[in-house]
Amino acid sequence: MDQIVNVDEFQELAKQALPKMYFDFYNGGAEDQHTLKENVEAFRRIMFRPRVLVDVRKIDMSTKILGFPISAPIMIAPTAMHKLAHPEGETATAKAAAACNTIMIVSFMSTCTIEEVASSCNAVRFLQIYVYKKRDVTAQIVRRAEKAGFKAIVLTVDVPKLGRREADIKNKMISPQLKNFEGLVSTEVRPNEGSGVEAFAASTFDASLSWKDIEWLRSITKLPILVKGLLTREDALKAVEAGVDGIVVSNHGARQLDYSPATITVLEEVVHAVRGRIPVLLDGGVRRGTDVFKALALGAQAVLIGRPIVYGLAAKGEDGVKKVIEMLKNEFEITMALSGCPTIDDITRNHVRTENERLHSML
């Protein structure tokens, strides 16, 4: 692992380590994969406005999310079925999160049970959920998470139907039976053709989910509720109105609606609508510490890391996940120092220049 110098290199190691079906499942996006490329590319069009002659001998990257302290504004995004990447699955990822002193958002589609993840280590973790047609399935999982000491619920709201992931359709991707749902619902769907994941989602996800259902979710849990999957000012305002405790700007890792915008390009729109009333997190396309800085400068309180975590897990297990987080933290620390920002609070909008601003200045 000493030869690895950036998180992108884990992608190639994961490709070598995994069966094609599983690598394609983690790696792919929807349809033409335009948004998949754009999530990463959009960061590259944002430039820095670094400040110099600032005392940066001590850099403090620490911050708080919903009152929980973390070592840097870098959290683990919910990604499905970690045991397809590594035999230890989500428990290895959770241990790495604990070692790096950050928050892991455990996927509803986890291959380890909520209880296994909770008992694997002592760390703050949130649970991401979908709402099923059988509401009681979701309610039971939420109650189990609360009992197991999870600290927040992250409701994914951009999957009334599953996006068309063509690699999964070609590979006839099989959805394994997930232990969290034993005795509640069968997750092992083997369609005659196409993706098993898509067939499972079609049979279980509730396409009628709407803003009023935030009330239902609040009625079954005392935990803070974040909504993940917003990309517009209009939905940000509705989220605040619905009384949620946080927003995750996300296009589902470009796995849902292709040609939806790169998340970093709409972050400010959401931040301006929210006006500091609740935290805004950014998910999608973060591959460098410079990306973390750019997201914070544009108003995010933290970023979520998805694919690089899975690639690290596939390549080197728990140590691979730790290495991914530590690399991003190291790059972020250097970016803070070279931009003249000793603390998170010193990172301002004036430290970056977006493509629109550059084009405008040329007119």
Side-chain angles (χ1 to χ4, degrees), residues 131-257:
V131 174
Y132 281 7
K133 289 171 186 170
K134 289 183 185 167
R135 291 287 169 101
D136 195 47
V137 172
T138 300
Q140 281 196 48
I141 301 280
V142 168
R143 281 193 282 267
R144 277 168 55 193
E146 205 162 345
K147 195 177 167 190
F150 281 66
K151 301 298 184 192
I153 298 297
V154 180
L155 173 65
T156 293
V157 293
D158 57 0
V159 191
K161 292 184 182 303
L162 205 69
R164 272 185 65 80
R165 302 164 195 176
E166 293 177 1
D168 292 348
I169 295 167
K170 272 187 185 153
N171 291 334
K172 296 187 167 55
M173 174 65 193
I174 297 159
S175 180
Q177 177 63 41
L178 303 176
K179 286 202 290 186
N180 271 323
F181 301 107
E182 273 175 10
L184 297 174
V185 64
S186 173
T187 52
E188 199 166 17
V189 180
R190 291 173 183 259
N192 296 330
E193 55 184 48
S195 161
V197 179
E198 195 175 353
F200 169 67
S203 66
T204 51
F205 289 7
D206 189 348
S208 76
L209 192 68
S210 67
W211 286 107
K212 68 181 188 313
D213 293 306
I214 301 288
E215 268 313 300
W216 167 78
L217 189 53
R218 202 175 295 292
S219 76
I220 63 166
T221 183
K222 294 184 179 71
L223 295 176
I225 296 165
L226 296 89
V227 289
K228 175 177 177 284
L230 274 61
L231 294 167
T232 63
R233 174 182 174 277
E234 292 86 345
D235 280 344
L237 290 171
K238 285 193 166 179
V240 172
E241 210 176 284
V244 304
D245 300 284
I247 288 172
V248 183
V249 176
S250 173
N251 53 32
H252 212 96
R255 293 161 78 78
Q256 280 300 101
L257 178 64

Side-chain angles (χ1 to χ4, degrees), residues 6-308:
N6 62 58
V7 302
D8 277 339
E9 292 179 2
F10 276 106
Q11 185 173 5
E12 190 50 43
L13 291 179
K15 191 174 185 178
Q16 291 163 21
L18 293 175
K20 184 178 188 302
M21 178 190 284
Y22 296 163
F23 178 75
D24 288 353
F25 169 69
Y26 292 129
N27 193 54
E31 296 187 351
D32 298 328
Q33 304 194 121
H34 171 80
T35 300
L36 184 65
K37 297 180 199 87
E38 191 60 14
N39 264 358
V40 173
E41 289 297 322
F43 275 105
R44 294 178 181 165
R45 296 194 289 270
I46 299 168
M47 306 307 282
F48 290 125
R49 300 183 72 249
R51 306 303 301 272
V52 296
L53 295 175
V54 178
D55 181 350
V56 289
R57 282 172 300 174
K58 286 192 182 133
I59 299 287
D60 182 3
M61 297 184 285
S62 65
T63 187
K64 285 183 178 175
I65 299 299
L66 297 183
F68 299 106
I70 51 177
S71 62
I74 299 166
M75 296 164 57
I76 295 183
T79 47
M81 302 189 272
H82 286 197
K83 276 193 179 178
L84 301 186
H86 189 273
E88 289 172 36
E90 287 78 8
T91 58
T93 312
K95 285 175 189 167
C100 296
N101 188 16
T102 192
I103 295 168
M104 174 184 180
I105 305 176
V106 180
S107 169
F108 201 58
M109 309 298 282
S110 164
T111 34
C112 295
T113 66
I114 286 164
E115 293 77 11
E116 284 169 343
V117 177
S119 62
S120 67
C121 57
N122 186 23
V124 174
R125 57 187 70 82
F126 300 169
L127 178 71
Q128 175 264 341
I129 64 163
Y130 294 106
V131 174
Y132 281 7
K133 289 171 186 170
K134 289 183 185 167
R135 291 287 169 101
D136 195 47
V137 172
T138 300
Q140 281 196 48
I141 301 280
V142 168
R143 281 193 282 267
R144 277 168 55 193
E146 205 162 345
K147 195 177 167 190
F150 281 66
K151 301 298 184 192
I153 298 297
V154 180
L155 173 65
T156 293
V157 293
D158 57 0
V159 191
K161 292 184 182 303
L162 205 69
R164 272 185 65 80
R165 302 164 195 176
E166 293 177 1
D168 292 348
I169 295 167
K170 272 187 185 153
N171 291 334
K172 296 187 167 55
M173 174 65 193
I174 297 159
S175 180
Q177 177 63 41
L178 303 176
K179 286 202 290 186
N180 271 323
F181 301 107
E182 273 175 10
L184 297 174
V185 64
S186 173
T187 52
E188 199 166 17
V189 180
R190 291 173 183 259
N192 296 330
E193 55 184 48
S195 161
V197 179
E198 195 175 353
F200 169 67
S203 66
T204 51
F205 289 7
D206 189 348
S208 76
L209 192 68
S210 67
W211 286 107
K212 68 181 188 313
D213 293 306
I214 301 288
E215 268 313 300
W216 167 78
L217 189 53
R218 202 175 295 292
S219 76
I220 63 166
T221 183
K222 294 184 179 71
L223 295 176
I225 296 165
L226 296 89
V227 289
K228 175 177 177 284
L230 274 61
L231 294 167
T232 63
R233 174 182 174 277
E234 292 86 345
D235 280 344
L237 290 171
K238 285 193 166 179
V240 172
E241 210 176 284
V244 304
D245 300 284
I247 288 172
V248 183
V249 176
S250 173
N251 53 32
H252 212 96
R255 293 161 78 78
Q256 280 300 101
L257 178 64
D258 202 15
Y259 298 94
S260 58
T263 47
I264 192 68
T265 65
V266 294
L267 173 60
E268 268 197 298
E269 178 183 325
V270 171
V271 167
H272 288 161
V274 168
R275 297 206 316 274
R277 288 171 284 185
I278 52 175
V280 177
L281 311 179
L282 176 103
D283 168 62
V286 175
R287 299 293 183 270
R288 286 279 189 187
T290 48
D291 298 339
V292 180
F293 187 100
K294 289 169 184 178
L296 266 65
L298 294 174
Q301 287 207 347
V303 299
L304 309 188
I305 311 296
R307 285 183 181 87

